[in-house]
Amino acid sequence: MKPQSDWTSSIDSIVDMGLSHGLVQRTTEDEAFNGRTICLNNKHVLNFALCSYLGLELDHRLKQGTIDAVTRYGTQFAISRAYLSATPYTELEHLLDELFEGHVLATPTTTLGHIAALPVLIEKGDVVLIDQMAHNSLQTAAKLVQAEGVPVETLVHGNLELLEERINALSKQYRHVWYLTDGVYSMFGDLAPVKELGKLASRYEQLHLYFDDAHGMSWTGKHGRGYVLDCLPIQDRMVVATSLCKAYAAGGGALIFPNAQMHRQVKNCGGPMIFSGPIQPPMLGASIASARIHLSPEINRLQRELKDRIAFCNHLLRAYDIPVENSSQSPIFFVKLGRPEVAGEMAKSLLDQGFYTNHAVYPAVSRRKSGIRFTLTTHLSAEDIHGLVEAIARNLPKAMESKHKNKA
């Protein structure tokens, strides 16, 4: 057997800890989902880890869209889009063009969208800068570009001053400087400084922006087009990737381009667009139904309901003096605890008390920045949110005591 690297061994031990606490690699025991709770060990607990922020995964119209698509087109259409696309693709991409007001290419997943786009758009003679907290899928795609001889440099999270220094220096050496980042960061729930990045792009002609806005989709922006495009409409030297899973509640991903030429190049040449399977008919049906909701006034009501919960949660966290990473403007919250062991113990205590949360640990965050990550959805009531925050506050003294022991 091949010996484990230090990196693999470290992750393996952290996962083992999560397994021992019953926090990871679990399977729900529900016969049907209600969005609010899940059943683990024959006990129903509140689900504060779901990324379907608007609760659309249980909407009857998305369910019916799936049923209708299966009835008409079957469970799958097993052929590469390089040859044929299933009939519903035409309607879906037309609706997505309207929703995003750009040139949209639907992709099998957001990850495969990155892998399709970046090696086509970024060429030798370019250089890549990537935020250290950018999603793992972006990091993976950047490595593919790096393997082709393009330099890739990781930057300290959210440091605009350092970013501009590197853009200024690298613009003298390289044809294009690509900056890769998330719109809404998946662990801490903080927001990228999109407007400031747009100003940088206007000052530096060689700067190209590539955003992963998977966690910004649906719950904010006109027609639910997401956080990034709400701050900065699609424009030259800018590409946005997003998810049709999560709050959109269907399947697949989408790439939004500023022009038809970039769209054509990635569709024609992107590896996953040639060699990977497509979005299958059931999820195409759900995606079409979701797009229609997004393009209707109803999306505004759904967004308001979630944002009310976000504001309420922030109020409670301040009132209980919970040490959060930031006052979140997104549905993602992060309670800072320090060591992985402390985060694991807190998450286990919360689970025992009826709240399922994520203990966020290395490699998703640095080793000493572990914590509790929880998400809000419209399935959860104000009482549910109050109960979780109260439980965190109740368990916090023990967690802080354990944190100081670990430091010693």
Side-chain angles (χ1 to χ4, degrees):
M1 181 181 291
K2 181 181 176 181
Q4 284 190 333
S5 68
D6 290 342
W7 183 82
T8 302
S9 178
S10 179
I11 294 174
D12 202 29
S13 64
I14 289 172
V15 172
D16 278 344
M17 180 194 69
L19 287 167
S20 69
H21 288 327
L23 302 173
V24 299
Q25 297 181 7
R26 300 295 302 271
T27 301
T28 60
E29 299 156 10
D30 306 75
E31 292 186 3
F33 289 133
N34 61 27
R36 178 173 173 261
T37 63
I38 50 173
C39 187
L40 297 171
N41 291 338
N42 205 33
K43 175 185 175 183
H44 284 88
V45 296
L46 290 167
N47 187 0
F48 279 89
L50 200 63
C51 292
S52 183
Y53 305 120
L54 298 181
L56 286 172
E57 81 281 11
L58 297 179
D59 187 280
H60 69 94
R61 291 160 293 185
L62 271 71
K63 291 180 182 180
Q64 191 61 49
T66 302
I67 293 166
D68 291 345
V70 168
T71 302
R72 295 173 66 188
Y73 303 110
T75 60
Q76 68 165 349
F77 189 63
I79 186 168
S80 163
R81 289 195 73 194
Y83 292 107
L84 288 173
S85 292
T87 304
Y89 261 108
T90 300
E91 182 178 4
L92 174 60
E93 291 186 327
H94 174 75
L95 290 169
L96 294 178
D97 283 350
E98 183 180 354
L99 193 161
F100 292 111
E101 294 183 359
H103 299 263
V104 180
L105 178 62
T107 60
T109 65
T110 309
T111 299
L112 290 174
H114 296 327
I115 292 172
L118 292 182
V120 172
L121 299 175
I122 303 173
E123 302 175 334
K124 286 184 179 179
D126 294 351
V127 63
V128 171
L129 302 174
I130 184 168
D131 188 287
Q132 71 180 122
M133 290 300 293
H135 195 269
N136 178 263
S137 57
L138 261 186
Q139 308 275 358
T140 298
K143 288 174 184 174
L144 295 177
V145 173
Q146 189 175 34
E148 294 299 315
V150 175
V152 175
E153 185 177 325
T154 302
L155 297 187
V156 174
H157 177 51
N159 190 324
L160 279 176
E161 185 177 339
L162 175 60
L163 172 61
E164 184 163 13
E165 284 179 13
R166 298 306 298 143
I167 294 169
N168 189 46
L170 294 168
S171 294
K172 299 176 177 67
Q173 301 172 248
Y174 296 95
R175 187 186 58 157
H176 298 145
V177 178
W178 285 83
Y179 181 58
L180 280 49
T181 189
D182 289 3
V184 178
Y185 291 93
S186 61
M187 284 294 108
F188 296 153
D190 53 327
L191 309 177
V194 175
K195 291 181 180 178
E196 290 81 0
L197 290 170
K199 291 175 183 176
L200 277 179
S202 68
R203 291 204 297 271
Y204 295 92
E205 291 184 2
Q206 285 152 288
L207 177 60
H208 291 242
L209 301 172
Y210 185 102
F211 294 98
D212 178 337
D213 201 29
H215 285 278
M217 182 66 193
S218 300
W219 64 267
T220 194
K222 180 183 176 183
H223 298 319
R225 65 185 55 168
Y227 169 68
V228 170
L229 292 172
D230 190 41
C231 296
L232 191 67
I234 197 70
Q235 55 194 262
D236 288 343
R237 295 183 286 118
M238 173 183 173
V239 177
V240 176
T242 193
S243 175
L244 302 182
C245 304
K246 297 184 172 65
Y248 190 87
L255 293 166
I256 302 99
F257 301 102
N259 57 62
Q261 180 182 356
M262 293 175 77
H263 177 282
R264 179 185 59 78
Q265 286 178 328
V266 174
K267 185 174 183 179
N268 288 354
C269 308
M273 300 309 301
I274 302 170
F275 301 109
S276 293
I279 302 172
Q280 297 298 351
M283 287 300 97
L284 290 173
S287 289
I288 289 169
S290 186
R292 289 172 180 156
I293 294 171
H294 280 67
L295 289 166
S296 77
E298 184 177 351
I299 195 68
N300 301 319
R301 175 184 60 80
L302 293 169
Q303 290 176 343
R304 283 194 302 272
E305 288 180 8
L306 183 66
K307 289 177 181 179
D308 285 346
R309 287 164 171 78
I310 294 169
F312 179 62
C313 188
N314 277 315
H315 166 73
L316 291 174
L317 291 168
R318 289 191 297 270
Y320 282 91
D321 198 24
I322 306 294
V324 291
E325 180 65 27
N326 54 274
S327 181
S328 185
Q329 299 173 60
S330 79
I332 302 169
F333 293 78
F334 190 92
V335 179
K336 299 186 293 184
L337 295 172
R339 298 292 300 174
E341 298 84 2
V342 181
E345 289 167 9
M346 170 69 92
K348 183 180 186 304
S349 295
L350 292 173
L351 182 58
D352 291 342
Q353 293 165 55
F355 305 94
Y356 183 77
T357 60
N358 297 138
H359 73 307
V361 295
Y362 181 80
V365 297
S366 63
R367 285 180 173 85
R368 295 186 178 275
K369 287 194 173 181
S370 301
I372 296 298
R373 173 190 183 270
F374 67 91
T375 58
L376 302 184
T377 70
T378 55
H379 295 304
L380 297 164
S381 69
E383 291 77 16
D384 296 335
I385 297 166
H386 199 164
L388 172 65
V389 175
E390 197 172 52
I392 293 172
R394 191 167 56 244
N395 287 276
L396 201 55
K398 182 180 177 182
M400 292 297 103
E401 181 184 343
S402 180
K403 176 180 178 179
H404 294 313
K405 282 181 181 177
N406 275 291
K407 277 187 178 180

